[in-house]
Amino acid sequence: MAEHNDATRVWELIDRIGFCMLTTRSGDDLRARPMSAYTAQLENAVYFLTDVASHKDDEIARWPNVGLAFADTKGQKYVSVSGTAEVQNDREKIRELWATPAKAWWDNPDDPSIRILKITPSSAEYWDSPGTIISYIKMAAAAVSNSKPDMGDNAEVKL
């Protein structure tokens, strides 16, 4: 039951944070760039809109294993996701995912250069702390008492 609750918490945090750094492989290097995520827990997928001319599409075609790093630094909540990516040209899905962040890059969802990145997560790890102020208080109390602070929930999850 804990595994199910941890998986649910991963999806809740991903959905709440919304933006992440997508890391792909580029030859021997790793490249990360900010992306707006669209979650689909029932499909076990995280979707992104991207441009056909972007380098990440080529990188994913060669090396489909990717990492997603979600961070809410004010709330002290973090999620790291490992998964497999694929590039899709599903025009109906593009229209379904069309939202305000996409308008910064394209005029409308019918733009022929828009593609979908579908990430199928295999595993995730999350850190869910009570917030910055409480975390600092717990760290200070632990330092004074020579103990380890309870910084909230942390779990590794298979998805």
Side-chain angles (χ1 to χ4, degrees):
M1 189 66 162
E3 184 74 17
H4 172 73
N5 290 336
D6 288 336
T8 299
R9 188 62 183 145
V10 164
W11 287 104
E12 289 170 353
L13 288 168
I14 289 172
D15 193 47
R16 178 176 157 193
I17 296 169
F19 285 87
C20 72
M21 295 296 287
L22 165 71
T23 302
T24 59
R25 182 174 166 196
S26 176
D28 292 335
D29 296 325
L30 297 176
R31 295 190 58 211
R33 73 270 289 162
M35 301 287 289
S36 179
Y38 304 89
T39 59
Q41 181 179 358
L42 294 177
E43 299 173 40
N44 191 41
V46 179
Y47 292 99
F48 302 94
L49 294 180
T50 188
D51 199 279
V52 70
S54 71
H55 295 292
K56 65 185 142 315
D57 298 3
D58 295 333
E59 295 163 2
I60 286 168
R62 288 187 187 96
W63 302 285
N65 293 334
V66 299
L68 307 176
F70 294 84
D72 169 6
T73 57
K74 287 189 173 51
Q76 295 293 299
K77 295 169 188 336
Y78 307 91
V79 181
S80 173
V81 176
S82 296
T84 305
E86 62 180 289
V87 179
Q88 300 177 339
N89 188 15
D90 180 339
R91 305 317 295 176
E92 185 176 322
K93 187 72 169 177
I94 290 168
R95 283 187 285 282
E96 178 187 323
L97 297 175
W98 186 259
T100 301
K103 293 175 185 176
W105 303 103
W106 305 281
D107 291 333
N108 63 66
D110 297 320
D111 187 317
S113 65
I114 302 172
R115 295 295 183 271
I116 295 172
L117 292 184
K118 177 185 179 187
I119 312 302
T120 303
S122 54
S123 64
E125 185 170 7
Y126 74 90
W127 298 264
D128 189 357
S129 297
T132 304
I133 294 171
I134 293 171
S135 294
Y136 286 145
I137 291 168
K138 286 183 174 192
M139 285 188 283
V144 171
S145 66
N146 279 338
S147 64
K148 298 262 186 216
D150 175 8
M151 298 303 292
D153 297 326
N154 168 246
E156 292 182 35
V157 182
K158 291 288 181 198
L159 297 173

